[in-house]
Amino acid sequence: MATLLEVRSLTTEFVTRGGVVRAVDGVSWDVAEGETVALVGESGCGKSVSALSVMRLVAAPAGRIVGGQVFFKGRDLLALSEEEMRRVRGREIAMVFQEPMTSLNPVLTIGRQLTEGLEIHLGMTRGDARQRAAEVLATVGIPDAARRLSQYPHQFSGGMRQRIMIAAALACNPALILADEPTTALDVTIQAQILELMRDLSRRFGVAMLIITHNLGVVARYADRVNVMYAGRIVERGSARDLYRRPRHPYTLGLLRSVPRLDEPRRARLQPIEGQPPDLTRLGAGCAFAPRCTFRVERCRVERPVLAPADGEGHVTACWEAARLARAPALA
């Protein structure tokens, strides 16, 4: 498959009273056509900022993209003018945000919020745009779609609002959808419905997806490849199968061990990752995960590891002790 999006050494900073926070620190990842890729990590690790940087939606003046390149269909998005970038947003790359009630305008009807992009990006008439909006609402499973175009966001449930966000993302037939924690505010049953819907729509329309999540269950079921982030950096990358069976970074292993498993006795205790994420204004010279890591050695404190090949095609990890992890029992 051809590469659709390629992020190279992306660096994004925020200026705060406590100092400069490098929320995204030289990360590189890519998404192929029709592929589903995941960005995984704890809150504050830089997942959402990575996606916002791709869309050039980092809030200035505090936030700024200070380095790197973002190639989409061969064009560097960071080099485009603001007018050119507006033509990319929504038309070629769409985004599903974490909480629909903060993304949908409460004083505009659902119909207007769906038709506006169609009129601007595709040049549709108001009537044609309204017909297309009803079609995409029906596609995402909202009944009586034509009538509900006249309703407002507060008249829909949380799950329905998330479906509307997905419909808005699909309306202009984009090549890539960035889904930022698309099911966080929903109960477990609705989460499953939304994720199944997104996977089915991705397969039906050939849309590539980047799923940003802290939920490793989502990753196992829906992602082809996974990027694990910690303290603004990619610490491990590989296929979902490789990462689950043979994690090669202690942070990835810790994330997996902290998730309940149905194939283990109920008396088995979870193994949480001890400690707290680091202060990004005061990162040392070594591995950012070292203070919380049970595999750390002296080298980890003084020298930052770089991504290096692990077992498995395309599987890389940034850990000096990856060989020790390789001798650990495989995860089923």
Side-chain angles (χ1 to χ4, degrees), residues 254-261 264-274:
L255 290 176
L256 292 170
R257 285 178 173 174
S258 63
V259 175
R261 296 182 54 165
E264 292 185 351
R266 290 186 62 182
R267 64 179 180 277
R269 295 177 60 86
L270 296 179
Q271 301 177 41
I273 301 174
E274 300 294 337

Side-chain angles (χ1 to χ4, degrees), residues 10-24:
L10 179 65
T11 303
T12 303
E13 295 178 345
F14 291 89
V15 179
T16 70
R17 291 181 179 179
V20 176
V21 174
R22 183 160 286 185
V24 178

